[in-house]
Amino acid sequence: MAVNPNDKHKMTVVEGSYATAHAAKVSRPHVISAYPITPQTHIVEDLSQFMADGEIPGCEYINVESEFSAISALIGAAATGARTYSATTSQGLFLMHEALLNASGMRLPIVMTVVNRAAGAPINIWNDQQDSIAQRDTGWIQLYAEDTQEAADMVLQAFKIAEDKNVLLPIMVCMDGFVLSHVYEPVVLLDRKEADEYLPPFKPDVYLDPKNPLSFGTLGDPSVYTEFRYKQEQAMRNALPLIEKAADDFKKVTGRYYGGLVEGYELDDADVVIVSFGSILGTIKDVIDEYRASGEKIGVLKVRAFRPFPTEAIANALKNAKAVVVIEKDISIGRNEGALFTEIKAGLYNTPMRTPMVGYMVGHGGRDIRPMHIKKIIEATKKVAETGKIEIESQFNDVKEELL
């Protein structure tokens, strides 16, 4: 993350969830609807406190009986032209599944923070990214944060992207549970003046109004259904440059920048490139610094946008690599590889690029991913770069054989 040096005196130590809730607050939402679930609960608790203290004027906070009700309430509110926000995680996100498709199909720019948590069964409250990855085909834009500052700042960027008339799609801002949501670290909390300068009021052209009756989400028979899906995909394509622009505009206002669709670190001359997303990037960058200090050309490509998938940006970033390794905290069971790995391979298939690529699935259910694990993966990938031979294309990392 590029930090404005002038921000240092503005920094305050808060919990990641508080920073995210504060960002939602200064975005001036009209409706917040939420249901508590670990490790997301602190976000909506903080927003509830802001409401009680009168710090979110013109906002309605709706307590509901389930996550399905939470997203359903926001669908109704967004259809009337309201700026809407929620947060959830894991099993709560799964309970929303049916309505997630409704929100995107109705082209409603809802913003929701997903605090990534492993999926049951077995029951697990710790972090991996299986929950949001499992929703990748629901038509929601998905952005992944590396640290707490980015997770908070992404909320405002998400509203700006989602509400653009050429997009009008809901967005998940994904942050790793506990690792980011519950950590206390220095962040800059945007004040309302900066937020207002960056994020204009939401003024949709089409919304429910008794004076101009309309219908949302009605029957789409075979004569029109395909065109609805086509328009959704076009909106995703439209979002690609707008995600870049939202990040650039945010830098102009705040001085903070995290990359657009992707961001490279020590990438320009890298022979081996690690591709990943989320908080694991911090550990990866520390390991890369060690390799660079000893003269080895290792780099990392951070993926911020998983949906829409930035195939062109990734291909351009990887074009000079001798080997690529994708490290991620999810798995497509039955495919024996992670979703990011699959997407990159598919995106590069019909290009001239034939760089050897391997994938590692790590950190499931919150298992520690330590520098020694990253180094082991790098050493194995260096051999791929040297020989061009792949023995195992995709594999689990750190499996305890004694438990099998």
Side-chain angles (χ1 to χ4, degrees), residues 320-340:
N320 296 323
K322 293 180 180 178
V324 173
V325 55
V326 181
I327 303 176
E328 56 191 305
K329 295 192 278 188
D330 65 87
I331 179 176
S332 292
I333 295 175
R335 188 69 187 90
N336 192 38
E337 59 187 38
L340 181 60

Side-chain angles (χ1 to χ4, degrees), residues 265-330:
Y265 182 78
E266 299 286 3
L267 197 62
D268 292 342
D269 64 343
D271 293 330
V272 172
V273 177
I274 302 172
V275 185
S276 193
F277 51 16
S279 63
I280 189 178
L281 286 158
T283 303
I284 293 172
K285 288 177 180 179
D286 287 343
V287 173
I288 285 176
D289 288 343
E290 291 184 38
Y291 274 90
R292 284 285 172 171
S294 62
E296 298 199 55
K297 296 179 180 179
I298 315 294
V300 64
L301 180 66
K302 165 186 172 178
V303 176
R304 294 183 76 232
F306 184 74
R307 284 291 184 271
F309 195 74
T311 300
E312 185 176 345
I314 290 174
N316 185 61
L318 299 179
K319 62 185 178 183
N320 296 323
K322 293 180 180 178
V324 173
V325 55
V326 181
I327 303 176
E328 56 191 305
K329 295 192 278 188
D330 65 87

Side-chain angles (χ1 to χ4, degrees), residues 10-26:
K10 300 179 183 178
M11 285 185 166
T12 182
V13 176
V14 296
E15 187 186 44
S17 293
Y18 181 93
T20 298
H22 184 275
K25 175 182 76 171
V26 299

Side-chain angles (χ1 to χ4, degrees), residues 30-68:
H30 301 115
V31 178
I32 298 168
S33 183
Y35 188 81
I37 179 172
T38 301
Q40 171 276 133
T41 304
H42 290 187
I43 295 175
V44 294
E45 283 180 342
D46 288 330
L47 285 167
S48 178
Q49 189 63 56
F50 292 148
M51 285 293 299
D53 294 340
E55 296 181 21
I56 317 181
C59 181
E60 185 76 20
Y61 188 101
I62 307 175
N63 289 313
V64 292
E65 67 276 10
S66 74
E67 289 85 0
F68 183 86

Side-chain angles (χ1 to χ4, degrees), residues 116-292:
N116 289 118
R117 166 188 150 183
I123 295 171
N124 183 295
I125 64 169
W126 292 273
N127 166 250
D128 64 32
Q129 292 156 335
Q130 195 71 41
D131 52 357
S132 55
I133 289 296
Q135 307 303 315
R136 62 187 179 272
D137 294 328
T138 55
W140 284 58
I141 292 171
Q142 289 191 4
L143 306 177
Y144 286 81
E146 178 181 352
D147 56 34
T148 55
Q149 184 73 68
E150 184 176 13
D153 291 346
M154 262 188 179
V155 172
L156 281 90
Q157 294 184 33
F159 277 118
K160 194 161 192 176
I161 298 160
E163 293 172 357
D164 189 281
K165 290 178 174 58
N166 292 309
V167 178
L168 293 176
L169 288 173
I171 296 185
M172 295 181 192
V173 176
C174 304
M175 64 185 295
D176 285 349
F178 293 111
V179 183
L180 298 184
S181 63
H182 284 56
V183 70
Y184 280 77
E185 64 182 24
V187 298
V188 180
L189 301 174
L190 258 80
D191 59 35
R192 276 217 165 85
K193 183 179 179 181
E194 286 180 310
D196 291 346
E197 181 182 352
Y198 175 76
L199 181 63
F202 179 39
K203 296 180 179 179
D205 292 333
V206 180
Y207 55 92
L208 294 176
D209 183 351
K211 297 178 183 178
N212 181 33
L214 298 170
S215 293
F216 279 59
T218 54
L219 177 69
D221 68 23
S223 68
V224 299
Y225 187 88
T226 296
E227 287 68 31
F228 275 86
R229 289 295 170 262
Y230 177 84
K231 293 291 287 183
Q232 278 182 276
E233 180 59 33
Q234 289 301 112
M236 280 283 185
R237 297 304 100 198
N238 294 341
L240 287 165
L242 290 171
I243 292 170
E244 299 268 13
K245 186 176 186 301
D248 291 339
D249 290 347
F250 195 83
K251 182 180 179 181
K252 292 174 184 176
V253 174
T254 69
R256 296 194 294 279
Y257 183 74
Y258 315 91
L261 297 164
V262 299
E263 184 181 37
Y265 182 78
E266 299 286 3
L267 197 62
D268 292 342
D269 64 343
D271 293 330
V272 172
V273 177
I274 302 172
V275 185
S276 193
F277 51 16
S279 63
I280 189 178
L281 286 158
T283 303
I284 293 172
K285 288 177 180 179
D286 287 343
V287 173
I288 285 176
D289 288 343
E290 291 184 38
Y291 274 90
R292 284 285 172 171

Side-chain angles (χ1 to χ4, degrees), residues 273 275 314 318 322-326 340-346 348 353-360 381 384 388 390 392-394:
V273 177
V275 185
I314 290 174
L318 299 179
K322 293 180 180 178
V324 173
V325 55
V326 181
L340 181 60
F341 184 52
T342 301
E343 297 272 356
I344 295 174
K345 287 197 303 177
L348 299 180
M353 185 174 165
R354 289 295 178 266
T355 304
M357 185 181 303
V358 294
Y360 286 81
T381 310
V384 173
I390 298 173
I392 303 176
E393 187 179 60
S394 178

